[in-house]
């Protein structure tokens, strides 16, 4: 799957959750790890029937590591031979062979690529997150939502202007924090949270959230939920307008976001609820 056509690259989707991604193992890397045991057997010359047959009819006395394949070799063999780069990391320079036994965990560690935990992971995957909101925010953070600027780049003939304000090109950054309509929604949410700050652009808002929204207190959880609900509701409003559905006002969206949060937090045992009675009353989560 190519990154340019997909909303999010396969490589990204397959990252383990603790490194920020979905709970899917990278099947390609697991497959390579599994195939590597054939490489181990060949280099170690373990006397299985397959190894004896390969030595006699494929390698014909040559070393597996130095073997030059022709283009007529099968898919399986081309894949096996590509694993020589991995094999090089396990070879003992003195003996030219593997030292020790084949250990799947050790091979997996080498084959699987590592990723840095994104600094904003905690803004989305926190204990009380709402999965469908988190997913949309995740797409937004990678700028993989089907905004009109991206659809135009893919060669799809669509109108380019933002359906919320009709005054600018619809990009991710415009849709969520530069658009006058959206800005008013987010500004309203901040006001209800007693935060007197002006709404910045996408990058500024994400940086602010990364720096400020740490911990598991009521207000932090509430703001994280609000941020995710905001992205979801703005996108939903955009889609309703694009596909001829109903149009909501700024006030409607603020109410909907508050409702989303209320449904999630009401009754949940959350730290700091006792010290934030005014917030609980404001949000109806007491
Ligand atoms: Zn707009």
């Amino acid at each position: 799957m190519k990154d340019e056509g997909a909303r999010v690259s396969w490589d990204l989707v397959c990252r383990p959750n603790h490194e920020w991604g979905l709970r899917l193992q990278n099947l390609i890397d697991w497959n390579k790890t599994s195939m590597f045991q054939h490489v181990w057997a060949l280099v170690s010359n373990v006397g299985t029937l397959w190894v004896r047959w390969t030595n006699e009819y494929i390698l014909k006395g040559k070393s597996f590591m130095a073997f030059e394949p022709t283009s007529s070799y099968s898919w399986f063999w081309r894949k096996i031979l590509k694993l020589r780069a991995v094999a090089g990391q396990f070879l003992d320079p003195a003996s030219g062979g593997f030292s020790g036994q084949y250990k799947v965990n050790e091979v997996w560690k080498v084959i699987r690529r590592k990723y840095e935990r994104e600094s904003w992971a905690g803004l989305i995957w926190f204990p009380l997150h709402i999965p469908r909101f988190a997913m949309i925010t995740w797409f937004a953070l990678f700028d993989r939502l089907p905004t009109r600027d991206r659809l135009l780049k893919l060669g799809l003939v669509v109108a380019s202007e933002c359906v919320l304000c009709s005054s600018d090109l619809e990009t991710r950054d415009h849709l969520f924090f530069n658009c006058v309509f959206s800005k008013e929604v987010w500004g309203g949410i901040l006001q209800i949270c007693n935060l007197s700050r002006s709404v910045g652009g996408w990058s500024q808002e994400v940086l602010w959230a990364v720096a400020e929204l740490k911990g598991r207190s009521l207000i932090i959880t509430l703001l994280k939920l609000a941020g995710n609900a905001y992205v979801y509701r703005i996108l939903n409003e955009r889609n309703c307008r694009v596909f001829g559905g109903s149009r909501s006002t700024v006030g409607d969206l603020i109410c909907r976001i508050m409702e989303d949060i209320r449904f999630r937090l009401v009754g949940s045992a959350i730290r700091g609820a006792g010290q934030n009675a005014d917030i609980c009353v404001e949000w109806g989560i007491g």
Side-chain angles (χ1 to χ4, degrees):
M1 189 183 288
K2 289 182 182 174
D3 188 30
E4 59 185 348
R7 281 192 185 178
V8 176
S9 69
W10 177 246
D11 181 57
L12 187 61
V13 166
C14 291
R15 295 177 191 185
N17 205 34
H18 71 277
E19 285 173 350
W20 182 215
L22 302 183
R23 291 170 189 266
L24 293 174
Q25 291 294 350
N26 189 325
L27 295 175
I28 297 166
D29 287 352
W30 269 119
N31 193 37
K32 283 182 189 171
T33 304
S34 172
M35 288 177 93
F36 193 77
Q37 62 188 308
H38 296 299
V39 174
W40 196 282
L42 269 177
V43 175
S44 307
N45 202 19
V46 176
T48 65
L49 186 62
W50 180 80
V51 169
R52 287 205 299 274
W53 181 88
T54 302
N55 275 326
E56 190 163 346
Y57 294 102
I58 304 286
L59 300 180
K60 296 175 180 169
K62 293 175 188 156
S63 153
F64 170 75
M65 296 300 287
F67 175 66
E68 288 294 333
T70 66
S71 56
S72 62
Y73 279 94
S74 66
W75 173 90
F76 174 79
W77 260 96
R78 289 199 300 276
K79 293 287 177 192
I80 284 275
L81 290 166
K82 278 185 181 174
L83 289 172
R84 287 188 291 197
V86 178
Q89 298 184 50
F90 289 96
L91 284 177
D92 177 1
S95 66
F98 293 132
S99 53
Q101 296 292 309
Y102 172 78
K103 289 180 182 166
V104 68
N105 286 348
E106 295 301 313
V107 177
W108 168 245
K109 279 182 200 165
V110 170
I111 287 180
R112 208 206 76 193
R113 289 150 288 181
K114 298 285 193 304
Y115 306 95
E116 289 298 317
R117 181 184 170 94
E118 302 289 350
S119 58
W120 35 259
L123 298 178
I124 302 176
W125 305 112
F126 53 96
L128 288 167
H129 75 277
I130 300 172
R132 71 183 195 281
F133 292 180
M135 180 65 76
I136 293 299
T137 309
W138 186 66
F139 276 115
L141 282 160
F142 283 102
D143 197 5
R144 290 294 187 270
L145 292 174
T147 45
R148 288 177 157 180
D149 62 320
R150 295 194 67 239
L151 296 175
L152 284 167
K153 276 183 201 164
L154 292 172
L156 299 171
V157 181
V158 292
S160 62
E161 73 180 20
C162 169
V163 287
L164 303 182
C165 68
S166 308
S167 68
D168 217 333
L169 172 68
E170 185 194 86
T171 62
R172 187 262 324 255
D173 291 18
H174 171 82
L175 188 61
F176 293 104
F177 292 110
N178 291 336
C179 178
V180 287
F181 178 90
S182 313
K183 222 171 176 146
E184 215 180 319
V185 175
W186 186 237
I189 296 290
L190 293 178
Q191 218 170 18
I192 296 165
C193 292
N194 295 323
L195 289 171
S196 53
R197 53 179 290 272
S198 53
V199 178
W202 175 271
S203 304
Q204 291 101 310
E205 289 302 306
V206 172
L207 285 173
W208 171 81
V210 166
E212 302 296 329
L213 305 187
K214 289 174 179 165
R216 295 182 175 190
S217 68
L218 172 69
I219 188 69
I220 297 296
T221 303
L222 198 146
L223 278 164
K224 284 181 184 178
L225 280 170
N228 284 264
Y230 166 76
V231 171
Y232 181 89
R233 290 297 170 193
I234 289 292
L235 183 71
N236 192 54
E237 176 60 18
R238 175 260 186 205
N239 290 343
C240 280
R241 295 190 186 198
V242 167
F243 299 112
S246 60
R247 296 167 72 93
S248 301
T249 64
V250 167
D252 293 337
L253 290 191
I254 292 175
C255 285
R256 222 158 281 154
I257 291 167
M258 290 184 77
E259 246 174 53
D260 292 331
I261 294 167
R262 193 174 305 128
F263 283 137
R264 189 69 188 93
L265 292 185
V266 77
S268 65
I270 189 161
R271 192 152 53 88
Q275 297 92 55
N276 293 286
D278 51 337
I279 295 175
C280 292
V281 170
E282 186 81 67
W283 290 81
I285 52 177

